[in-house]
Amino acid sequence: MKPTVIVCKDSTSASREVADRMTNALIENPRTVLGLATGGTPIETYRFLVDDYRAKKVDFSKGTSFNLDEYIGLSGDHPQSFRHFMREYLFDRVNFRAEKTFVPSGLAESPEQHAIEYEKLIADAGGIDLQLLGIGHNAHIAFNEPGSSKDSRTRVVRLTSSTIEKNSRFFDRIEDVPRAAITMGIGTILEAKQIILLAMGADKAEAVRRSIEETPCDEVPASWLQLHSGVIFVLDEAAANRLGSH
């Protein structure tokens, strides 16, 4: 099956579309379990969510969140950790209860055991209701790089050189970028009840096209989203410009 595709005029309207869907989910069910992403893509979406909270449109106090991934070796207060990112852009700006916001620990004594425990936390919360994703230039989702199985679970992964290079813009030096991470697996992501993938910019257009139009395979991790009946790709016009008739 092909995902639903929504093409918006620009990145701002695409971000607004996603924020509206997340806000509406929390309005309909204040106990919604959100799956959250980091990186440049969701920043404007989170700003809109903060605006909605300040306008008293949405309440996060009964919600729960699980982030997709975290660098191994970084503490939650490290400026480049994903926990720090989430606090900066969302958690500290709305009324989420801190104990209901889950991000993998980059300093777990046994990252492999921690990954198993993170899976259990998700299951104990009843699973993820709405998962937000971005997409990498090589069509990775979370840190599921090309070669990731559709059945993969939360686990320790080595980052590819291309991902390290892309993420080096957030660090002082490329040598400072961690080489491994804990990430939700594709199988974990596919268990979410609804999935929204947000992609913006012409540089993401080929990854988007391959993910939607090619036969699902391990080499195009986001293509496995075609197996899920509740996936929506929200794109700006630039990210959609290589699609066929969608």
Side-chain angles (χ1 to χ4, degrees):
M1 70 190 75
K2 297 301 182 185
T4 299
V5 177
I6 297 174
V7 181
C8 302
K9 178 182 177 183
D10 53 29
S11 61
T12 296
S13 54
S15 299
R16 180 72 261 183
E17 173 74 23
V18 173
D20 286 346
R21 289 174 177 273
M22 296 175 76
T23 289
N24 289 338
L26 282 161
I27 291 171
E28 291 172 13
N29 175 15
R31 298 187 184 278
T32 291
V33 180
L34 295 173
L36 301 177
T38 54
T41 297
I43 287 175
E44 196 166 16
T45 292
Y46 294 153
R47 286 177 179 151
F48 282 128
L49 289 176
V50 172
D51 289 345
D52 287 350
Y53 166 71
R54 290 175 176 166
K56 302 189 186 307
K57 292 181 183 177
V58 64
D59 176 17
F60 293 84
S61 65
K62 296 179 181 177
T64 301
S65 70
F66 287 91
N67 264 77
L68 287 164
D69 40 28
E70 180 61 282
Y71 289 119
I72 290 177
L74 299 190
S75 68
D77 56 6
H78 188 285
Q80 302 309 330
S81 74
F82 294 152
R83 165 66 76 176
H84 185 276
F85 175 101
M86 292 306 306
R87 290 189 62 188
E88 179 179 356
Y89 288 106
L90 187 64
F91 294 163
D92 287 356
R93 298 174 184 270
V94 299
N95 64 335
F96 260 128
R97 291 165 54 199
E99 67 272 20
K100 302 290 267 183
T101 61
F102 296 93
V103 181
S105 171
L107 296 182
E109 185 173 333
S110 169
E112 291 80 7
Q113 181 61 34
H114 181 61
I116 294 169
E117 293 166 355
Y118 200 71
E119 284 267 331
K120 186 176 187 301
L121 287 171
I122 295 170
D124 290 348
I128 291 170
D129 295 309
L130 176 58
Q131 176 67 60
L132 174 62
L133 298 174
I135 187 171
H137 296 81
N138 61 1
H140 75 247
I141 48 177
F143 276 130
N144 294 288
E145 301 281 8
S148 297
S149 162
K150 73 178 189 299
D151 300 319
S152 55
R153 310 303 301 185
T154 302
R155 66 200 188 286
V156 175
V157 295
R158 303 298 300 181
L159 305 187
T160 64
S161 57
S162 63
T163 294
I164 290 169
E165 183 180 350
K166 293 289 183 187
N167 289 2
S168 66
R169 70 188 188 276
F170 300 114
F171 292 81
D172 293 334
R173 305 175 304 151
I174 193 169
E175 293 81 9
D176 297 333
V177 183
R179 269 39 184 179
I182 295 176
T183 185
M184 283 190 205
I186 293 173
T188 313
I189 291 167
L190 289 175
E191 289 176 356
K193 297 176 183 68
Q194 185 179 11
I195 299 170
I196 298 176
L197 188 147
L198 175 61
M200 303 175 294
D203 59 334
K204 298 292 182 72
E206 180 61 12
V208 166
R209 183 199 67 76
R210 296 188 71 194
S211 300
I212 293 174
E213 296 185 350
E214 293 188 2
T215 302
C217 66
D218 289 356
E219 290 309 307
V220 186
S223 67
W224 290 118
L225 297 175
Q226 294 179 39
L227 303 182
H228 195 293
S229 61
V231 173
I232 300 171
F233 276 64
V234 178
L235 314 171
D236 67 359
E237 290 180 353
N241 68 15
R242 295 195 184 181
L243 292 178
S245 55
H246 290 271

